[in-house]
């Protein structure tokens, strides 16, 4: 049997990511004039992986103590990434305000899209529960 | 994951830019002040920003694994410092503050620099207002989920 909330949970994670990213981009814009501040962004794959890990552990099963264990701290797998594509200003600040505004808009549209999908998913279930009436 | 975190970040930036604007206004207002409380001409003031550190509670919940991502505190004014550059010397023997050679020390305020900084501050303010509005629309959008 399909789980009723599988899709809803997936959309929830996508919304969580967009919400978190909105915070980071807002922080970048807030610090556009802070000397030495480095622009940040979210790593989507790592974020999704980590929120999936919360529910089901994906650790390697070891049957012998000499088996190599999965390393838990992979440096490439960090949620937060420094935005390295941008050039640095004289005050060592890497915030590009135009890029950040574009990202902010993109992220909000993405959020709107996902929340619309989520609403439709919920409405589908409502239809089912009401037996199509 | 606080609901109003993003709003707090943007509003911290708004108040920081406001402080900057206040200081610029102060500099422009005192561009010709040759005598302050300490007897010296007015010195131009500069606002220094720093990234606001997250609170103790945030770090704790991060360390014990409650929160997956780090939190952000926005920006704050670290200090308002004085510009150490030399005063402008203007020859005006009739001025009451002139020295024995007839030179008056005027403040190291450059009006053009201040105007440029003022435009920059107001643009930054606008960018943060936009960020604030986008956060607001995201929050209202979540209220409409399932409608």
């Amino acid at each position: 049997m399909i789980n009723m909330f599988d899709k809803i949970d997936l959309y929830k994670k996508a919304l969580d990511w967009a919400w978190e990213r909105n915070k980071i981009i807002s922080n970048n814009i807030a610090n556009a004039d802070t000397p030495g501040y480095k622009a940040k962004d979210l790593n989507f794959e790592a974020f999704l992986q980590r929120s999936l890990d919360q529910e089901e552990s994906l650790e390697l099963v070891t049957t012998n103590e000499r088996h190599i264990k999965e390393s838990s701290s992979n440096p490439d797998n960090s949620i937060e990434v420094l935005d390295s594509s941008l050039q640095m200003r004289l005050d060592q600040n890497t915030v590009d305000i135009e890029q950040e505004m574009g990202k902010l808009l993109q992220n909000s549209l993405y959020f709107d899209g996902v929340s619309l999908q989520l609403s439709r998913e919920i409405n589908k279930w409502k239809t089912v529960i009401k037996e199509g009436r | 994951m606080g609901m109003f975190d993003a709003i707090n970040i943007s509003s911290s930036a708004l108040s920081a830019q406001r402080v900057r604007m206040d200081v610029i206004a102060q500099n422009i207002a005192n561009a010709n002040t040759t005598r302050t409380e300490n007897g010296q001409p007015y010195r131009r003031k500069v606002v220094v920003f720093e990234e606001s550190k997250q609170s103790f509670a945030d770090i704790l919940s991060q360390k014990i694994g409650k929160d997956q991502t780090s939190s952000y505190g926005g920006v704050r004014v670290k200090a308002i410092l004085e510009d150490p550059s030399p005063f402008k010397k203007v020859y005006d023997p009739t001025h009451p503050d002139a020295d024995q050679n007839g030179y008056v020390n005027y403040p190291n305020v450059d009006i053009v620099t201040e105007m440029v900084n003022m435009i920059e501050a107001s643009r930054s303010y606008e960018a943060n207002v936009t960020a604030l509005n986008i956060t607001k629309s995201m929050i209202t959008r979540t209220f409409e989920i399932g409608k």
Side-chain angles (χ1 to χ4, degrees), chain A residues 7-130:
Chain A
K7 254 187 169 174
I8 293 179
D9 280 347
L10 192 67
Y11 290 136
K12 215 185 89 194
K13 269 163 208 156
L15 288 178
D16 274 351
W17 179 73
W19 181 243
E20 206 56 49
R21 189 160 186 245
N22 177 54
K23 236 192 284 182
I24 289 185
I25 300 169
S26 297
N27 201 48
N28 285 345
I29 295 171
N31 284 289
D33 297 321
T34 308
Y37 179 81
K38 302 283 181 285
K40 295 181 189 73
D41 206 343
L42 272 187
N43 183 353
F44 181 73
E45 286 86 9
F47 190 85
L48 188 69
Q49 192 60 55
R50 225 175 272 192
S51 34
L52 289 174
D53 284 353
Q54 271 184 309
E55 280 149 31
E56 47 187 301
S57 176
L58 293 177
E59 274 166 43
L60 285 178
V61 178
T62 52
T63 50
N64 186 307
E65 73 268 17
R66 288 172 69 202
H67 283 167
I68 296 167
K69 288 200 176 64
E70 180 194 26
S71 71
S72 53
S73 57
N74 185 354
D76 294 340
N77 210 25
S78 66
I79 285 176
E80 233 171 72
V81 285
L82 281 183
D83 204 333
S84 55
S85 60
L86 306 167
Q87 57 202 28
M88 208 183 269
R89 294 203 313 246
L90 270 178
D91 60 357
Q92 316 230 300
N93 183 312
T94 62
V95 179
D96 183 337
I97 197 83
E98 288 83 11
Q99 296 268 1
E100 298 298 330
M101 296 311 279
K103 274 200 254 172
L104 194 69
L105 186 63
Q106 253 178 30
N107 192 52
S108 124
L109 289 174
Y110 172 83
F111 189 90
D112 287 359
V114 174
S115 69
L116 194 65
Q117 294 244 19
L118 177 54
S119 288
R120 289 193 180 152
E121 180 69 21
I122 291 169
N123 282 330
K124 258 191 272 172
W125 283 110
K126 274 189 189 164
T127 312
V128 171
I129 290 162
K130 288 192 223 151

Side-chain angles (χ1 to χ4, degrees), chain B residues 37-53:
Chain B
E37 278 175 1
N38 56 15
Q40 287 278 309
Y42 175 81
R43 267 200 185 279
R44 171 173 178 255
K45 287 179 181 58
V46 189
V47 178
V48 183
F49 289 160
E50 73 171 351
E51 191 187 3
S52 197
K53 294 285 171 296

